[in-house]
């Protein structure tokens, strides 16, 4: 191989690595990202297909928590629509009725979420940003003028 | 003032860090080539070391050394071509500018948000706070000052009332609750709390005034357990045992399984029945530790949930605690009054007499208190007798 | 008064660093030694003023001076003393003050320990460092001043977030900042080189120790942060691909690449443009991380209270520095001549390979971190990019890189002998195969990828020591001779061996936990036994307990190990009384490299408790690996060869040589 050919081979190799990386990123961005929805998006907006992995955000409906050992059921509401969520495991420390929550899992054809992750943040005044935005859109957000 | 003295010293130090190097000048006489030569020598030493441990062949080492030499020559060439640019403002002008600008900018920027006269307020050394942690009474004083000028502050009265009660200032608590229900007459909770405070003030006796309030509330809210509880106590205190037993029965019957006042109510019911000659088994009395025993958190209700012996024991503990405290702090007239009253209620006449004697020696000059002690002593049963 | 003096010191630090931003550069342009020398004085002075300012804030916190708004908002009289200290940097304002303090510390160390640098370079480096410092001190004074007073002063504070009441917090942020901020020095070196126009091998030689020091601290900081999240949050995870974690991980990847490319630039004067660019990018990524965390643009479990004004301010700093440096780079880079030539199979080639994969990996992490922002800006959809994305993109990029790690150091410069290098790695390859066969033989359901991962980690860990073994001559030479030879090796060889071995160990831990972790979530009643990977765990009872500023329900477990040993584990649910904030304290028991991890849920009314049990095999290697890297970095730093004397000592040394020659 001449020097020029070697150089071309090196540049070609680098290009191949970058190309593979770009392809990986694009595939991953198509398949592995999770969309965030509110209950209204799912029920009236018809945005999520059943079997799809989504993040669902809203408030935990008052009085909706049902426990059976480590199996927990509760309802997430955006004050307009609501979706029931089934979860097995330990709820975060700050999970409370009436508080903001983000759950991640698979949506069933009956519009129930089988969640494997429940997030509530480490600050009792915290409402996840996505939830706050969604609630603001609905005009039910009052967080900004709290004392 | 001292702040500005120190601040001035600090500013001078800051100025010095700029002025000294300019005035002193630098003795460094090395050209940047000297620095490059250092690197060259270090690299050559490294290459030799690599050859010594077999990391590099002699041949490669020779090539590498030649390369280092070329680098050194290249950098010495580039050094020669770079010339220093002079002109612009002079060093002296820079010095002057710096000396003027540093203090001026610093002070102006500081004054923008700083509070030069504001002292530190470490919590332990604050004059408005007792280090022993009596911050509640300090806060209370502030609240009182505010309420004196704003007697229509409902929230203020509502906040101080329970604090008074917990501190044992029952009379003040009654006043505060009176004010609260004056300002919010619709609020039954204030009325009940007022009446409750009256009961506490009357050493657990449901007075006529308190009873009236409870009846009022009970008439308005027939299911109100708290008022029914006290009305039942009132009935039994009047000696109307049959009525009292009925009242307790209906209260217990209406209460939910886990109602916090239930153990206390059952204990009262049992006491009433016992007086009527009927034994009632008290269930799981050891639960009394974990459950809140009465409708309120006050000690009197707490005591009523305990068995008679436990109650006596608890009271005795409280009383002996008070006695110990008075030994260390004998100037507390109110404390002595309470101690003597407690012994009297407990039926421990001898101890009561002893306490009266001690109080006399401590307040030998207080004639008013002495005559009060005299009265109490006279009302005591003769020595040897005990009161049930 | 100390509070106000602390405030004044902060202002003085700003004024001095403004002075340092300008005067030394004028000096270096005019070749005026006196003006350049001011930087050597003002840099330590600025550091001193910031240290005084920080000390004033510490004092206010420790004495619970609630007239200081920052103390009132983040402290409480009942807080344990240790956490009154750590609470100083447990909030936005205090942590920013620590940030600039460390920035100033790096500048001061260049002034004090950088006597081997040519005065013009040192002056320019310090001036650029002062630009950064001045920007951030101004940021603190304008938007996040920790010395704002309250009048009248409250009597009680609002307590510190209990999740942050942890010894990990005491060490983690300072270390992370040391690394994060430390790369500001390489940025300043790159800017200084571009200002003076002198970009050559000597520059790389001068910058390397500083880059290595920053890298050591950043590595330690990230590892600490990961361990802290693991045992404090009670979720059992050690890495969440959270924006804040990514913000520190991207500079780590590019910083690691920088360490390696600077080596090429020093030895062969090649990759000059690339190395300068990496130095700029690494610190730009640190700034970007600071911006993302402080502005609240991205949500994160680590974020402090956020404020849009702060976000805009940091964004302005970000644009100024990244934009400015890249602009200068665009002007200067085309003027650089290419350096030494090399074939693809050579040490240089291996280091380029390393750089290619590290920076590509950094880019994928960056894309994953920023993609949600972009999507939201474009069409308003809210998405999250989590572990699956990074597993699919970052993971595959690491495999070729790790496979190449043992080979690189065995290739010689310019033209390497791949077969010769591989021959010296037979033992590593053999051991890797052997371990893989063992794993296949003794486990029934091991995933193929996990077996492969274990093989790679053994290959990397053992292969890291190939050069040391070769140099020792063992087994051809006797053991004492071999030992003597090993002792005589330059420390930098040990440093890179330990650093690379650390990579292998970390991978082993990640694969161990990822593939062989055993998890049970169940509701237990008193007396009930649960079997967790051979450990019999019996739930005893719930015990209420009171701490200094919290109350807790301790969930007692009696554990019987497979070897018959018994011991107790006491995880708990805590409630911090002031904020009424509940937290979970996991119980962790270590057996060699593996851990038993118990995290309790809520106690139900009937006395049963939902509990998460984990058996985490080899999990501690995840942090022992970085420890090995840090240790390797420190050993390299201590290598005499990384330090070059200043010319004064050179004369003395030359004299020494002359004396020896004449003798």
């Amino acid at each position: 191989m001449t020097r020029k050919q070697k150089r071309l081979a090196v540049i070609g190799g680098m290009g191949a690595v970058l190309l593979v990386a770009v392809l990986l990123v694009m595939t991953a961005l198509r398949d592995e990202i999770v969309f965030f929805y509110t209950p209204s998006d799912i029920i009236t907006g018809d945005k999520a297909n059943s079997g799809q992995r989504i993040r669902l955000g809203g408030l935990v409906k008052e009085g909706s928590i049902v426990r059976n050992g480590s199996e927990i059921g509760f309802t997430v509401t955006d004050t307009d629509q609501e979706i029931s969520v089934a979860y097995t495991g330990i709820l975060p420390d700050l999970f409370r009725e009436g508080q903001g929550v983000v759950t991640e899992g698979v949506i069933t054809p009956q519009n129930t979420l089988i969640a494997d992750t429940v997030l509530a943040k480490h600050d009792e005044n915290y409402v996840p940003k996505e939830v706050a935005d969604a609630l603001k859109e609905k005009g039910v957000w009052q967080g900004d003028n709290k004392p | 003032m001292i702040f500005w003295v120190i601040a001035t010293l600090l500013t001078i130090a800051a100025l010095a860090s700029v002025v000294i190097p300019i005035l002193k000048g630098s003795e460094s006489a090395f050209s940047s080539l000297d620095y490059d030569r250092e690197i060259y020598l270090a690299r050559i030493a490294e290459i030799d070391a690599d050859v010594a441990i077999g990391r590099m062949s002699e041949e490669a080492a020779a090539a590498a050394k030649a390369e280092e030499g070329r680098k050194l020559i290249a950098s010495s060439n580039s050094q020669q071509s770079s010339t220093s640019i002079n002109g612009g403002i002079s060093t002296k002008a820079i010095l002057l500018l710096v000396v003027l600008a540093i203090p001026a900018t610093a002070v102006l920027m500081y004054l923008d948000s700083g509070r030069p006269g504001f002292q530190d307020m470490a919590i332990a050394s604050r004059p408005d706070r007792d280090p022993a942690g009596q911050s509640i009474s300090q806060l209370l004083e502030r609240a009182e000052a505010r309420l004196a000028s704003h007697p229509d502050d409902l929230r203020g009265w509502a906040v101080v009332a329970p604090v008074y009660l917990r501190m044992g200032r029952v009379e003040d608590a009654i006043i505060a609750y009176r004010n609260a229900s004056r300002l919010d007459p619709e609020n039954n909770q204030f009325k009940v709390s007022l009446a409750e405070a009256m009961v506490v003030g009357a050493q657990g006796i449901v007075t006529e005034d308190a009873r009236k309030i409870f009846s009022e509330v009970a008439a308005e809210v027939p299911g109100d357990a708290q008022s029914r509880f006290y009305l039942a106590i009132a009935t039994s205190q009047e000696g109307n045992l049959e009525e009292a037993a009925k009242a307790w029965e209906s209260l217990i019957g209406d209460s939910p399984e886990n109602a916090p006042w239930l153990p206390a109510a059952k204990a009262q019911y049992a006491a009433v029945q016992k007086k009527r000659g009927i034994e009632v088994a008290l269930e799981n009395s050891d639960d009394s530790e974990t459950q809140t025993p009465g409708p309120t958190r006050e000690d009197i209700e707490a005591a009523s949930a305990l068995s008679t012996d436990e109650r006596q024991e608890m009271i005795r503990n409280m009383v002996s605690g008070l006695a110990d405290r008075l030994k260390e702090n004998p100037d507390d007239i109110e404390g002595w009054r309470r101690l003597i009253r407690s012994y009297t209620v407990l039926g421990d006449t001898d101890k009561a007499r002893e306490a009266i004697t001690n109080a006399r020696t401590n307040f030998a000059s207080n004639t008013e208190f002495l005559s009060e002690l005299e009265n109490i002593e006279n009302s005591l049963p003769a020595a040897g007798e005990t009161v049930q | 008064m100390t509070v106000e003096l602390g405030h004044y010191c902060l202002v003085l630090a700003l004024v001095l660093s403004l002075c340092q931003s300008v005067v030394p550069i004028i000096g270096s342009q005019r070749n005026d030694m006196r003006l350049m020398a001011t930087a050597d004085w003002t840099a330590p002075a600025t550091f001193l003023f910031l240290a005084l300012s920080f000390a004033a804030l510490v004092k206010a916190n420790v004495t619970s001076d609630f007239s200081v708004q920052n103390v009132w908002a983040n402290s409480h009289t009942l807080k344990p003393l240790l956490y009154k200290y750590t609470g100083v940097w447990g909030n936005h304002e205090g942590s920013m003050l620590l940030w600039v303090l460390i920035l100033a510390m790096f500048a001061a160390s260049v002034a004090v320990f950088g006597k081997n640098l040519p005065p013009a370079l040192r002056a320019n480096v310090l001036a650029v460092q002062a630009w950064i410092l001045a920007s951030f001190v101004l940021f603190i004074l304008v938007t996040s001043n920790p010395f704002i007073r309250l009048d009248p002063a409250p009597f009680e504070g609002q307590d510190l977030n209990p999740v942050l009441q942890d010894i990990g917090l005491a060490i983690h942020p300072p270390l992370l900042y040391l690394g994060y901020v430390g790369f500001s020095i390489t940025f300043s070196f790159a800017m200084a080189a571009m200002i003076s126009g002198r970009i050559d091998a000597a520059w790389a030689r001068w910058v390397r120790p500083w880059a290595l020091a920053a890298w050591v601290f950043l590595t330690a900081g990230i590892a600490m942060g990961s361990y802290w999240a693991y045992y404090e949050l009670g979720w059992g995870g050690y890495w969440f691909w959270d924006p804040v974690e990514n913000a520190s991980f991207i500079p780590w990847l590019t910083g690691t690449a920088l360490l390696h490319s600077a080596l090429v630039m020093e030895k062969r004067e090649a990759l000059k443009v690339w190395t300068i660019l990496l130095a700029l990018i690494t610190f730009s990524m640190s700034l970007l991380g600071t911006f993302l965390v402080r502005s609240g643009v991205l949500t994160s479990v680590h974020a402090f209270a956020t404020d849009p004004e702060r976000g805009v301010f940091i964004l302005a700093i970000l644009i100024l520095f990244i934009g400015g440096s890249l602009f200068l780079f665009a002007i200067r880079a085309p003027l650089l001549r290419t350096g030494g030539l090399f074939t693809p199979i050579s040490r240089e080639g291996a280091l380029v390979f390393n750089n290619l994969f590290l920076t590509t990996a950094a880019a994928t992490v960056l894309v994953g971190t920023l993609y949600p922002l972009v999507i939201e800006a474009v069409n308003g959809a809210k998405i999250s990019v989590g572990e699956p994305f990074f597993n699919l993109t970052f993971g595959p990029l690491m495999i070729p890189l790790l496979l190449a790690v043992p080979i690189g150091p065995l290739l010689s410069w310019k033209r390497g002998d791949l077969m010769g290098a591989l021959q010296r790695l037979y033992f590593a390859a053999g051991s890797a195969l052997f371990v893989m066969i063992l794993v296949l033989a003794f486990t029934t359901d091991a995933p193929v990828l996990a077996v492969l991962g274990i093989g790679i980690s053994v290959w990397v860990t053992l292969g890291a020591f190939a050069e040391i073994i070769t140099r020792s001559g063992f087994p051809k030479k006797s053991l004492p001779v071999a030992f003597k030879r090993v002792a005589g090796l330059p420390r930098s060889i040990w440093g890179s061996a330990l650093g690379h071995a650390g990579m292998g160990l970390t991978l082993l831990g990640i694969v161990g936990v990822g593939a062989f972790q055993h998890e049970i979530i169940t509701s237990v009643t008193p007396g009930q036994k649960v079997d967790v990977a051979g450990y019999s765990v019996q739930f005893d009872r719930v015990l209420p307990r009171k701490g200094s500023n919290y109350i807790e329900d301790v969930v007692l477990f009696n554990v019987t190990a497979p070897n018959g040993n018994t011991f107790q584990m006491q995880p708990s649910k805590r409630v911090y009384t002031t904020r009424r904030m509940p937290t979970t304290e996991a119980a962790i028991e270590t057996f060699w490299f593996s851990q038993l991890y118990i995290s309790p849920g809520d106690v139900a009314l009937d006395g049963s408790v939902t509990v998460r049990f984990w058996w985490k095999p080899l999990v501690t290697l995840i942090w022992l690996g970085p420890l090995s890297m840090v240790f390797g970095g420190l050993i390299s730093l201590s290598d005499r060869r990384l330090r070059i004397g200043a010319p004064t000592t050179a004369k003395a040394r030359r004299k020494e040589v002359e004396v020896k020659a004449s003798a």
Side-chain angles (χ1 to χ4, degrees), chain B residues 11 36 38 89 110 119-120, chain C residues 1-2 4 8 30 149 650:
Chain B
T11 316
D36 289 321
E38 271 309 302
I89 50 171
Y110 169 72
Q119 290 301 308
D120 286 358
Chain C
M1 193 177 61
T2 47
E4 291 305 312
Y8 188 68
R30 290 168 34 172
R149 306 296 291 271

Side-chain angles (χ1 to χ4, degrees), chain A residues 3-144:
Chain A
R3 181 177 285 174
K4 201 168 187 184
Q5 281 172 323
K6 269 186 197 167
R7 179 168 278 198
L8 276 177
V10 170
I11 292 172
M14 285 184 170
V17 170
L18 288 176
L19 191 69
V20 168
V22 169
L23 286 177
L24 280 175
V25 167
M26 285 173 67
T27 319
L29 285 183
R30 206 185 55 224
D31 300 339
E32 304 294 350
I33 58 168
V34 180
F35 280 86
F36 176 93
Y37 294 119
T38 60
S40 299
D41 288 338
I42 295 167
I43 292 171
T44 57
D46 204 23
K47 282 187 180 164
N49 305 318
S50 66
Q52 190 186 340
R53 195 175 168 76
I54 62 156
R55 277 193 171 201
L56 172 73
L59 302 173
V60 181
K61 192 182 176 188
E62 303 269 355
S64 70
I65 303 176
V66 189
R67 286 169 198 268
N68 176 21
S70 56
E71 287 158 28
I72 297 147
F74 57 91
T75 305
V76 171
T77 171
D78 56 9
T79 66
D80 195 7
Q81 300 288 344
E82 46 191 61
I83 296 259
S84 31
V85 177
Y87 173 69
T88 304
I90 295 179
L91 291 167
D93 293 326
L94 287 164
F95 181 91
R96 272 177 224 157
E97 290 185 353
Q99 282 243 322
V101 70
V102 172
T103 61
E104 188 173 324
V106 177
I107 191 89
T108 67
Q110 292 78 38
N111 280 343
T112 305
L113 189 78
I114 312 297
D116 49 34
T117 311
V118 174
L119 303 169
K121 214 175 115 159
H122 284 271
D123 179 345
E124 59 183 319
N125 295 322
Y126 172 81
V127 174
K129 182 170 169 291
E130 294 88 346
V131 176
D133 287 351
L135 292 177
K136 272 177 196 159
E137 269 169 35
K138 297 215 169 301
V140 295
W141 172 255
Q142 283 132 17
D144 289 341

Side-chain angles (χ1 to χ4, degrees), chain C residues 542-607:
Chain C
V542 176
L543 180 75
R545 209 156 55 183
K546 195 174 178 312
S548 63
N549 61 344
Y550 59 84
I551 49 169
E552 63 181 349
D553 277 337
V554 182
V555 188
L556 295 177
F557 291 94
N558 295 318
V559 186
T560 311
N563 62 9
N565 285 351
T566 58
F567 53 92
Q568 202 171 50
M569 289 178 76
Q570 313 187 335
S572 68
K573 295 290 279 186
R574 271 186 198 169
V575 176
Y576 285 81
T577 37
T578 310
R579 286 201 181 180
R580 305 296 311 160
M581 180 149 164
T583 66
T584 304
E585 300 292 312
I588 301 172
E589 202 66 38
T590 307
F591 309 94
W592 294 96
F593 297 123
S594 308
Q595 288 184 330
L596 186 63
Y597 188 115
I598 302 183
S599 181
D602 290 320
V603 182
L605 287 173
D606 61 358

Side-chain angles (χ1 to χ4, degrees), chain C residues 178-250:
Chain C
L178 277 173
Y180 227 76
V181 179
F183 278 108
S184 66
I185 274 295
T186 59
F187 177 87
S188 297
F189 265 88
M191 289 293 283
M194 290 193 295
I195 290 169
S196 68
R198 213 196 135 189
I199 305 166
D200 54 17
W203 176 85
R205 177 84 188 202
W206 284 314
V207 80
R208 266 183 61 214
W210 298 100
L212 186 56
W215 181 87
V216 162
F217 285 118
L218 184 57
T219 308
I222 292 176
M224 289 274 318
S226 157
Y227 189 70
W228 174 72
Y230 170 76
Y231 97 106
E232 177 64 24
L233 294 182
W235 303 343
Y238 56 89
W239 192 259
F240 301 95
W241 295 104
D242 177 277
V244 175
E245 290 170 332
N246 294 349
S248 65
F249 191 48
I250 297 169

Side-chain angles (χ1 to χ4, degrees), chain C residues 34 46 112 122 135 144 149 161 167 174 182 191 264 270 274 289 312 355-356 375 385 392 421 435 439 471 473 506 518:
Chain C
R34 289 181 298 170
T46 309
V112 173
R122 193 168 69 234
S135 316
S144 337
R149 306 296 291 271
N161 186 340
I167 190 69
M191 289 293 283
V264 179
W274 176 244
V312 172
N355 268 239
L356 176 65
I375 287 294
V385 173
L392 189 61
V435 172
V439 171
R471 297 285 157 249
T506 304
H518 190 59

